[in-house]
């Protein structure tokens, strides 16, 4: 690949973030492969576990996904028996997502591998730089950043 494509100093922020995200996804997916989950699937299981029994809307918001993308990503997890969607008892129009016992087992199994990926990232990138990167990225996906970005 030509050097000018790889190190384009005028590369937009969005493109650079997307490239970095794709690379990290590839690396984490390779480490998680033995458990059969992709990092995006593990992330869903983690978010559901933390929230308990979130609505689809709340889960999508927490993951910074639109509901249709979330629904698409939930299908293989449902098919494999890791999560179920249930009608919300308070609002029949809403659906809630919960981990199954098999989903909890899969999350536990994947955690050991995920920790390996985290350690590899921090070894390659540096623990302090990794912490600073996570802080910067959390600012970027915050509602405050969205509001500031959308100001005229």
């Amino acid at each position: 690949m030509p050097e000018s494509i790889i190190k384009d100093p005028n590369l937009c922020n969005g493109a650079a973030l997307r490239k970095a995200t794709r690379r990290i996804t590839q690396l984490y997916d390779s480490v998680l492969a033995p458990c059969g989950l992709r990092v995006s699937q593990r992330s869903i299981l983690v978010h559901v576990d933390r929230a308990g029994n979130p609505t689809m809307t709340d889960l999508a918001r927490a993951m910074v996904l639109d509901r249709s993308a979330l629904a698409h990503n939930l299908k293989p997890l449902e098919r494999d028996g890791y999560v179920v969607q249930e009608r919300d008892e308070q609002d029949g129009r809403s659906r809630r997502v919960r981990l199954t016992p098999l989903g909890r087992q899969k999350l536990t199994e994947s955690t050991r591998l995920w920790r390996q990926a985290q350690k590899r990232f921090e070894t390659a990138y540096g623990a302090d730089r990794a912490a600073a990167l996570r802080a910067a990225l959390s600012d970027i996906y915050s509602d405050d950043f969205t509001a500031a970005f959308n100001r005229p």
Side-chain angles (χ1 to χ4, degrees), residues 29-107:
D29 282 354
S30 70
V31 174
L32 288 171
C35 76
L37 288 179
R38 295 188 321 265
V39 70
S40 58
Q41 294 171 317
R42 184 181 186 284
S43 181
I44 292 171
L45 297 181
V46 167
H47 277 83
V48 171
D49 186 50
R50 286 179 184 161
N53 191 19
T55 65
M56 287 284 288
T57 299
D58 290 341
L59 183 58
R61 187 176 298 124
M63 296 190 71
V64 192
L65 283 173
D66 62 58
R67 281 180 47 108
S68 62
L70 176 59
H72 175 78
N73 286 304
L74 277 172
K75 285 180 185 177
L77 295 172
E78 286 181 288
R79 178 198 65 220
D80 294 341
Y82 302 142
V83 298
V84 293
Q85 288 188 56
E86 302 167 322
R87 200 172 216 88
D88 187 312
E89 292 179 12
Q90 315 297 319
D91 178 1
R93 299 169 296 163
S94 293
R95 313 236 354 122
R96 291 192 171 270
V97 182
R98 73 171 171 82
L99 288 181
T100 64
L102 187 60
R104 288 191 187 288
Q105 288 176 341
K106 186 54 71 172
L107 181 56

Side-chain angles (χ1 to χ4, degrees), residues 10-22:
N10 298 314
L11 189 66
C12 87
N13 296 316
L17 283 166
R18 290 179 62 80
K19 282 183 177 183
T21 298
R22 286 191 295 268

